Amino acid sequence: MRLSRDDEKAGESLSIENQRNILQRYTEEHGGIVVDEYIDDGWSGTDFERPAVQRLLEDAKQGKIDTIVVKDLSRFGRNYIQVGQYVDYIFPAYGIRFIALSDNVDTAERSSTGMDMMPIMNVFNEWHAANTSKKIRAVLEANWRKGKFTNWAYPYGYKTGQDENRRAIIDEEAAKNVRRIYDLRLQGKSVRTIARTLTDEGIPNPTAYYTRLDGKKSERTGSAQWSPKTVSEILKNETYTGTLIQHRSARFSYKNHTVINIPTEERFVLKNAHTPIIPFNVWERVQQINKAKVRSDKSGTIHCLSGLLICAGCGKKLKFKSSKNSEGIYCCRTYIELGKKYCTSHSISENQIKSIVLQDIHHMLAELKIDERKEREHFFSEKNHLREKTRLLKEKDLQKLKNRLVELDKLIKATFESQVLGSLPQNICRELCENYQEEKRITQSKVSDLEKNLRKEADADDESESYISCLKKYAQCGQMTRELCLLLIDKIIIGNKNKDGTPRQIEIHYKFSKPKSYVFSAAKQTDFFP
């Protein structure tokens, strides 16, 4: 017996109880002995890995049964190749008789009409599954375009609203933990340290919290402790910025249920779909931290300049080395791993480089008090190149889509003309036109989105003011922080430490200005000169 969610729409006639009554009546009338019932409730007929089928096959191999009875072929499966393999080859090999009552299929009567029609019925059953899958996908796409949420639940921090689109509503009790996770990450804490902190404080993880709110016991097993993976998923989820992203993954096909990730450009994205928990600029800064992929020390802290210091000799990142008796130092990774034959140490103490960078930031940002107009001009000169490049790419894509719309109109017209002239069958004409019209609808939607995107230019004045305000905030900072370094610094190239005492070169690359080179004096370790 089998019942999928789609079959439930057919009513009581396909219910498990109705199937059971029919099969029990047949068994009693024909003097059979029921060995066992095999029930797959909520499973698709295209999936032959479902548990009841696997148990049935195991019992068949052990000789526990000699006859399998189903209400109809579709209850056993909707994959015509696999149904045929089982009925024609596997079951006969174990000496098992197969009976599908409604379809008059009985492998004990190979010459019957029902057996002759079985291949056609199997093909029809699979077509039904394919057609149902196509309709479901069409409904889902329509809902995604309207901004209707179709998943079972929002991520931790949100509740599902009761409105038509099931819009996300902030769950403050959970949202405060999400904000704290982002704050700890900005402070340089590793995901492992964050997970340990939340666990030590007795804060329930998302699974335990959801179970408590729902009032039902969760089917998922595991402890209520936070894991680094859970923290990592929260730190990269764009839903917290108010963006609704759907169609992230899908099954390969209606027959192959392997889940595949959907490319980013094919997902359905709706900005400002709900109230954000995390500001977008904070989310972006956290993504920069995540991409850095630097290791934390034994205390779980990521040093503020980790991953930003580059060896001028070999181009590898400098590695932090701590010591119980002295301050930590950064040293060339190639030198540490391969020795001085391949590169020199390029070592510099953490306190020295932090002092150099902090003094330079104070010096650089102090100029804003004198000439903000100059800084705005510099800001725009750095930004405009990227904007212009992005705009040209979007306009190029837009033109390609418009050209395709013209082609589709020609194809639809040509198809109708071919059908009228009698050179194309009506059913093929209908199918082609439906495909062309569907592609046209999708293309028109993409054109609309691109045109809207091009029209919606960000307010440059607001953006520049935000930039100036951010720089001013850090102009008065008293110490280096991981957040400050990631916000302002792209990389710092460390020159070699010369034995003769001559100054070494240090080149600081800021994100919003040209690289600045400094000469660091070994004689006066706190002095550096442009």
Side-chain angles (χ1 to χ4, degrees), residues 77-181:
R78 291 189 181 276
N79 184 318
Y80 80 95
I81 293 177
Q82 287 191 281
V83 171
Q85 285 179 336
Y86 280 110
V87 174
D88 290 333
Y89 299 101
I90 298 176
F91 292 153
Y94 293 117
I96 294 175
R97 180 184 178 186
F98 180 85
I99 300 172
L101 299 179
S102 300
D103 295 327
N104 296 318
V105 169
D106 187 345
T107 55
E109 300 177 8
R110 289 284 174 178
S111 60
S112 66
T113 303
M115 290 297 295
D116 292 339
M117 292 294 294
M118 186 180 69
I120 298 174
M121 287 184 285
N122 282 335
V123 171
F124 179 80
N125 288 334
E126 181 169 323
W127 172 85
H128 175 81
N131 192 47
T132 300
S133 175
K134 184 178 179 181
K135 289 179 179 178
I136 291 174
R137 285 175 182 267
V139 170
L140 285 173
E141 280 198 20
N143 286 333
W144 294 333
R145 293 185 187 284
K146 290 190 297 184
K148 185 174 182 179
F149 183 67
T150 59
N151 289 350
W152 70 279
Y154 281 97
Y156 178 72
Y158 285 109
K159 295 178 182 179
T160 305
Q162 300 301 315
D163 60 308
E164 181 183 357
N165 287 338
R166 303 175 71 228
R167 188 176 178 179
I169 301 173
I170 292 179
D171 176 6
E172 268 309 324
E173 186 178 351
K176 68 180 181 181
N177 294 325
V178 173
R179 296 188 190 101
R180 183 150 179 251
I181 288 172

Side-chain angles (χ1 to χ4, degrees), residues 257-368:
H257 297 270
T258 302
V259 177
I260 58 173
N261 291 325
I262 301 300
T264 305
E265 62 274 10
E266 295 180 18
R267 297 174 182 177
F268 290 82
V269 180
L270 180 63
K271 300 287 185 180
N272 302 316
H274 49 262
T275 306
I277 294 176
I278 303 297
F280 186 74
N281 62 331
V282 173
W283 184 83
E284 279 191 318
R285 275 149 54 194
V286 168
Q287 303 320 301
Q288 292 176 2
I289 296 175
N290 294 340
K291 289 178 182 177
K293 294 182 179 179
V294 294
R295 295 182 179 179
S296 58
D297 60 17
K298 293 180 179 179
S299 67
T301 300
I302 298 174
H303 293 270
C304 59
L305 288 169
S306 291
L308 299 176
L309 304 182
I310 308 296
C311 173
C314 65
K316 291 287 186 68
K317 292 181 179 180
L318 268 60
K319 183 177 180 180
F320 181 81
K321 295 178 66 178
S322 59
S323 173
K324 294 182 180 179
N325 302 323
S326 63
E327 60 180 313
I329 64 169
Y330 289 96
C331 192
C332 173
R333 187 176 296 273
T334 302
Y335 174 80
I336 294 173
E337 295 175 351
L338 302 177
K340 61 182 180 180
K341 179 180 178 181
Y342 296 92
C343 195
T344 53
S345 68
H346 290 77
S347 62
I348 188 168
S349 74
E350 183 179 33
N351 289 342
Q352 287 175 9
I353 187 62
K354 284 169 66 175
S355 176
I356 292 170
V357 175
L358 190 60
Q359 288 182 54
D360 188 54
I361 288 174
H362 286 163
H363 175 74
M364 178 183 69
L365 299 185
E367 295 176 356
L368 291 175

Side-chain angles (χ1 to χ4, degrees), residues 7-24:
D7 293 327
E8 289 175 354
K9 299 174 185 177
E12 184 62 25
S13 62
L14 282 180
S15 69
I16 294 294
E17 192 58 36
N18 182 64
Q19 294 178 56
R20 179 185 283 111
N21 292 337
I22 292 173
L23 298 181
Q24 285 179 342

